[in-house]
Amino acid sequence: DRGNAMIFWRLLSCRCRFIPLKAKRLLSNPVRCGGMSGVKATAGLSSPNEVQFPVPWGHIAGKAWGDPSGKPVLALHGWLDNAGSFDKLLPLLSKDLYIVALDWPGHGYSSHRSQGSLYPVYDYFTDIKYVVDALKWEKFTFLAHSMAAGVAPWFAGALPDRVQAMVLLEGLGFWTAPMSDLPTSMGRALNQLSALEEKDNKVYPTWDAVVERILEGHVKGDSEFDREAAATLAVRGARQDSTGGYQFTRDLRVKALSLLRPHNELNEVFLKAVRCPLLVIMAENTFVSLDVIHSRLKAVGTTPDKVKLVKVPGGHHVHLCRPDVVAELVDRFLLVETLHHDYQKLSRL
């Protein structure tokens, strides 16, 4: 509720400000500001720590859940969300996992890209590489929602030896455009960038107004998205300014299209290059075309016995609004069905 969210925000403002540190130290040991998510881990994973990873334009922020000796998982949120998207799901997962949930650049607590830049989907691959190299993860698993469910399989296709498995929520590959649409799409992106760079970041008078705006924006595509979900995203998604009002932390430019949108042929090529086990979780009340998902599953290069599609009750943010529906599927897939000899001693399954 509003009171708890405000208390959390004041705590975070006092105790967890980002302080510039030497990149060398961050690369070997990402900085942590302990245990301040506002979500109590009732089972499995311990309360998270704030982390930062240095990048040329600033830092990529995130939350690290669990023991670093656990099975490494990179959790990636959808467009306009932030790492808080996973706050309800991750406390329910096995303590045999170590999960780093990121704020994409331009989202949450992560730095905005440099002036004059857009946020093309192709840059997200480099962002992932910076983070997993800093963590010294030779192999890891993706837990990715929506837009990130497009990013993850392309990365897995490009570097198949680095990706152990993927759990994709509400997506498989990028939302694409036909080749014939690309010139028009690029023109729109160029015009959007000019308009967004000149636009001021709106100030909302109250915390409730911020939560209401998030709710309004999400409920259009997810009828089950509620006020509690909106307040969860608002914690990392907004900050109080010097006037006492609130502004979104995200970069306005994330709303612009990529100059060169992915197209259908590219999507298929990268999906064919995927070699790891894959679980796709789709909500019953989704706006994503299940026919498209089925056709893309046929393109995935992994052998059919390692590819699973599960339909669950809920909407597009099912992992945030109905985390219990998703948790057992994720645990079972990562710790039983894709079991490796390093992870034979399970705590919950």
Side-chain angles (χ1 to χ4, degrees), residues 98-115:
Y98 177 55
I99 304 181
V100 176
L102 297 183
D103 292 326
W104 285 119
H107 297 72
Y109 296 159
S110 288
S111 299
H112 296 182
R113 298 201 195 278
S114 59
Q115 286 299 311

Side-chain angles (χ1 to χ4, degrees), residues 294-339:
H294 280 292
S295 67
R296 290 182 178 180
L297 281 170
K298 295 175 183 177
V300 173
T302 304
T303 56
D305 61 305
K306 293 182 180 179
V307 177
K308 294 198 171 188
L309 171 63
V310 180
K311 196 173 179 181
V312 297
H316 187 60
H317 285 78
V318 63
H319 63 302
L320 178 57
C321 300
R322 296 200 191 191
D324 54 312
V325 170
V326 176
E328 187 174 353
L329 291 171
V330 174
D331 267 353
R332 185 164 296 281
F333 182 73
L334 295 184
L335 296 171
V336 176
E337 297 179 22
T338 61
L339 187 64

Side-chain angles (χ1 to χ4, degrees), residues 202-210 240 244-246:
K202 181 176 178 178
V203 178
Y204 293 82
T206 65
W207 177 262
D208 282 345
V210 169
Q240 195 166 26
Y246 295 85

Side-chain angles (χ1 to χ4, degrees), residues 29 34 56 79 88 104 120 123 150 173 181-182 243 249 259-260 269 345:
N29 184 24
W79 184 58
K88 303 298 184 182
W104 285 119
D123 284 358
D181 289 351
L182 294 184
T243 69
T249 57
L259 284 176
L260 190 62
V269 166
K345 295 182 179 180

Side-chain angles (χ1 to χ4, degrees), residues 126-140:
T126 310
D127 301 330
I128 293 170
K129 186 69 162 47
Y130 278 128
V131 170
V132 295
D133 285 351
L135 288 164
K136 302 187 187 311
W137 286 354
E138 293 184 7
K139 297 196 75 161
F140 66 96

Side-chain angles (χ1 to χ4, degrees), residues 153-158 173 176 263-275 296 299-302:
W154 279 43
F155 187 97
T176 57
H263 54 85
N264 302 328
E265 293 86 346
L266 271 178
N267 222 22
E268 186 169 331
V269 166
F270 277 92
L271 290 175
K272 282 183 177 178
V274 171
R275 294 291 178 265
R296 290 182 178 180
V300 173
T302 304

